[in-house]
Amino acid sequence: MSQHLEDLAGELDQRLAAADAALLAQYPGDRGGRQPIHTVYVPADQYGPDTVPTWGRTAQSALDEHAGSAADLATATGLAGPLVEELLPRVAAKLAREPIEDLRVDFEDGYGRRPDEQEDAAVREAARALADAVRAGTAPPFHGLRFKSFEVPTRRRGLRTLDLFVAELAERDALTDGFVVTLPKVTSVDQVEAMVVACARIEQARQLPAGRLRFEIQVETPQAILGGDGTALIARMVHAAGSRCTGLHYGTYDYSASCGIAAAYQSMEHPAADHAKAVMQVAAAGTGVALSDGSTNVLPVGGRDAVHAAWRLHARLVRRSLERGFYQGWDMHPAQLPTRFLATYAFYREGFASAAARLRAYTGGGDSGVLDEPATAIALAGFLLRGLDCGALDEGELVDGVGIDVPALAELARRARPA
């Protein structure tokens, strides 16, 4: 490079130093590691040490009762028969091994308002049950609680529940890397900043390492998407939380109701929902903050026809979310687990051959007929790793298909995977 260009480059380095540092700090990229494919909310007074395996058994019983064969399940869900037949053993194995990937003990809408003494007792009982599951190795890999919001009427109760729950787990040495809490009904950046302060103070009081407590922001108010000043407050919320924010979770029904949508038309696929989630997606891009879609309130209960209709809806909505880049959602009933896993596995199995061939070609091992950019290669690698994490793909077939090992694939995805 000529001297005048070198001098110019040096000047630009100085001019852009602050912007370079801000970009690196605010948009660090993928956090690395696994993202659960769903979050299950269980009311606090219904959670116990056997909740997770019970959900798995109940889900399998629903399959046995309402879909006695792969053909029955294919009819119920609208998925292709041969694919369902291939995936059914994987689904059954998942229900037996890990029926819930991410659990929230719910002290908010699922629990309601109770006298303080009653909620205190429920907090201690639920936290002890979770601690027992952690020590026994039966807790889901991701777990935590949802407490009441920082709005004025519930602020003190929510804070008290959070502190008590954390204290019980800390006392029993049961605070794992998978522990995360949900901050609901967020209406301002100030509430997120207050949550950061609350986490730091609780860590100090309970003698926890700084930064140990992390939280998700639940997007269920219009104010989180569009503030009174006309800005997208959710973007400011993400950055106000710093490294403590792990995810943005869309709240289907609170958000829809707040927008004035009639109950019969409130759903994950309403245009208002798609708008909110598109804003969330842009706000989270590059930050390392994960996205989660919401839930459907149409449950697979009742007679065979009702269960099949709910399964078909749920499977379609799960697939829709996956295609739109929302790799996580909420499940509210054990009988939703079969379609959560079936639809998710189908998504990754159907896309595996093409993604593997394109990535093999990109890394110099073949010709896929598609000229992929580096950014697309990152997305392809991430797709395959997500399929591996949830059990849709096996490591051996992944390595054979792509031609590189999993650590190399993680490096290509710019994702630091745990050893």
Side-chain angles (χ1 to χ4, degrees):
M1 181 180 290
S2 64
Q3 187 58 48
H4 78 279
L5 286 180
E6 186 62 46
D7 292 343
L8 177 57
E11 180 183 344
L12 295 183
D13 285 343
Q14 293 180 0
R15 285 177 175 272
L16 296 174
D20 291 342
L23 181 65
L24 185 61
Q26 296 176 12
Y27 298 95
D30 199 311
R31 285 176 179 266
R34 172 185 178 185
Q35 179 185 359
I37 66 171
H38 70 163
T39 300
V40 165
Y41 281 80
V42 177
D45 55 348
Q46 297 177 26
Y47 174 71
D50 296 328
T51 295
V52 173
T54 297
W55 270 57
R57 290 190 296 269
T58 303
Q60 185 60 57
S61 295
L63 270 180
D64 295 340
E65 179 179 358
H66 298 290
S69 67
D72 287 343
L73 189 56
T75 299
T77 59
L79 296 173
L83 180 61
V84 173
E85 187 170 6
E86 174 194 345
L87 295 178
L88 197 51
R90 285 184 185 268
V91 172
K94 181 74 169 181
L95 293 175
R97 181 184 75 254
E98 190 182 69
I100 297 176
E101 292 194 357
D102 186 25
L103 171 75
R104 288 295 168 278
V105 180
D106 191 13
F107 287 93
E108 205 232 355
D109 284 349
Y111 182 77
R113 298 291 293 272
R114 316 276 182 99
D116 280 340
E117 299 79 10
Q118 186 175 344
E119 182 160 337
D120 286 348
V123 171
R124 292 189 176 97
E125 185 175 354
R128 291 166 186 168
L130 179 58
D132 289 343
V134 167
R135 290 199 300 267
T138 57
F142 304 92
H143 49 264
L145 77 154
R146 179 170 69 168
F147 55 95
K148 292 177 176 63
S149 78
F150 276 178
E151 292 293 292
V152 173
T154 57
R155 185 177 300 151
R156 281 169 171 74
R157 180 62 260 183
L159 192 59
R160 180 169 169 169
T161 293
L162 174 62
D163 181 59
L164 280 174
F165 202 98
V166 170
E168 291 288 343
L169 291 183
E171 183 179 331
R172 289 160 175 75
D173 194 25
L175 274 174
T176 72
D177 290 340
F179 181 77
V180 64
V181 301
T182 304
L183 178 65
K185 294 180 173 58
V186 181
T187 55
S188 69
V189 178
D190 303 88
Q191 288 182 350
V192 174
E193 293 172 341
M195 182 61 180
V196 172
V197 172
C199 288
R201 297 289 176 81
I202 291 172
E203 287 167 350
Q204 293 169 5
R206 303 303 176 185
Q207 298 182 323
L208 299 173
R212 181 66 189 78
L213 298 179
R214 298 169 299 162
F215 61 92
E216 304 153 341
I217 297 172
Q218 196 162 0
V219 181
E220 49 186 341
T221 68
Q223 293 89 344
I225 297 300
L226 188 66
D229 60 357
T231 64
L233 292 191
I234 190 60
R236 292 169 55 195
M237 290 176 184
V238 167
H239 296 292
S243 61
R244 290 193 187 271
C245 180
T246 62
L248 302 179
H249 285 225
Y250 178 67
T252 306
Y253 299 99
D254 281 79
Y255 187 89
S256 299
S258 296
C259 288
I261 298 166
Y265 301 99
Q266 295 174 6
S267 78
M268 295 162 58
E269 55 187 344
H270 191 281
D274 283 341
H275 169 259
K277 289 181 285 188
V279 174
M280 290 166 57
Q281 193 168 45
V282 174
T287 65
V289 172
L291 298 168
S292 176
D293 209 333
S295 61
T296 173
N297 60 3
V298 180
L299 303 181
V301 296
R304 182 183 178 91
D305 289 346
V307 170
H308 283 198
W311 274 349
R312 181 180 289 265
L313 173 65
H314 189 236
R316 182 175 64 77
L317 290 174
V318 170
R319 177 63 179 240
R320 185 180 191 272
S321 297
L322 290 168
E323 290 177 354
R324 284 158 177 75
F326 280 73
Y327 300 108
Q328 185 175 350
W330 294 3
D331 290 324
M332 312 301 289
H333 191 277
Q336 290 180 322
L337 300 184
T339 38
R340 170 67 61 183
F341 296 129
L342 185 66
T344 301
Y345 287 3
F347 175 73
Y348 289 110
R349 296 301 306 180
E350 290 176 334
F352 169 63
S354 174
R358 290 172 65 177
L359 209 52
R360 178 182 281 272
Y362 180 83
T363 57
D367 182 10
S368 72
V370 180
L371 183 62
D372 284 312
E373 297 285 342
T376 305
I378 294 171
L380 289 167
F383 172 88
L384 294 173
L385 289 173
R386 289 180 185 278
L388 178 64
D389 284 338
C390 71
L393 305 176
D394 300 321
E395 184 171 344
E397 66 176 343
L398 193 154
V399 172
D400 289 344
V402 180
I404 58 177
D405 60 18
V406 171
L409 188 62
E411 183 176 356
L412 183 59
R414 300 183 181 177
R415 172 178 167 181
R417 291 174 59 84

